[in-house]
Amino acid sequence: MQQVELENFKKILLEKRQAILDNNLEHRKSMENMHDLSFDEADQVAMHMKNTLDSSIFTRHNTELEYIDSALNKIEQGVYGICEMCDEPIAKERLKAKPHAKYCIVCREIVEKNSKD
Ligand SMILES: [Zn+2]
């Protein structure tokens, strides 16, 4: 993958990450009636949330957050866009739809079938 494409995916992933953190923050605020929490404290809240996964929204968002963090790590390590199962490159169209995808389409189907059983 070209550097410019990697940078683009990185930007998308970082924006997605921030959106989830903001969303979590809003959710937490409304849940706990926290007073005057600034966005500077968002990171602190995100850390705190790991200990208090008490809603499905948090769980879903945090799973996505983990995928995004792992995708960002892969960009740093130069292995972004490679399927974790078969080591083949993931189709760019798929990455555009889901930039934190871990598997290519073929492996994704296998994983989904297995998790349903
Ligand atoms: Zn694969």
Side-chain angles (χ1 to χ4, degrees):
M1 195 179 294
Q2 291 178 6
Q3 190 62 28
V4 63
E5 287 177 305
L6 274 179
E7 289 296 326
N8 195 35
F9 280 122
K10 188 176 175 179
K11 192 169 154 260
I12 294 167
L13 285 162
L14 286 172
E15 277 168 9
K16 257 175 116 66
R17 189 176 187 277
Q18 191 57 49
I20 291 170
L21 288 177
D22 289 351
N23 201 317
N24 280 351
L25 183 63
E26 285 304 312
H27 187 68
R28 186 162 190 88
K29 261 169 150 179
S30 61
M31 259 180 37
E32 289 192 357
N33 249 336
M34 284 176 115
H35 22 235
D36 301 323
L37 191 67
S38 74
F39 279 103
D40 292 340
E41 292 168 86
D43 281 347
Q44 213 180 321
V45 171
M47 264 173 63
H48 185 64
M49 264 172 11
K50 285 190 173 172
N51 303 322
T52 52
L53 290 177
D54 47 6
S55 86
S56 59
I57 294 168
F58 274 167
T59 309
R60 187 161 51 81
H61 277 161
N62 277 280
T63 306
E64 206 178 348
L65 212 52
E66 276 173 26
Y67 283 0
I68 289 170
D69 281 344
S70 126
L72 285 165
N73 274 334
K74 285 183 198 170
I75 289 177
E76 296 304 321
Q77 288 160 19
V79 293
Y80 177 72
I82 306 292
C83 173
E84 285 188 8
M85 202 125 95
C86 67
D87 286 336
E88 293 291 327
I90 301 170
K92 266 175 208 162
E93 289 310 312
R94 174 161 166 70
L95 288 173
K96 276 176 191 161
K98 192 180 173 188
H100 54 282
K102 285 185 166 190
Y103 307 113
C104 69
I105 267 172
V106 177
C107 293
R108 178 72 223 169
E109 272 175 20
I110 296 167
V111 169
E112 270 174 9
K113 263 180 206 156
N114 286 342
S115 67
K116 268 174 201 162
D117 288 339

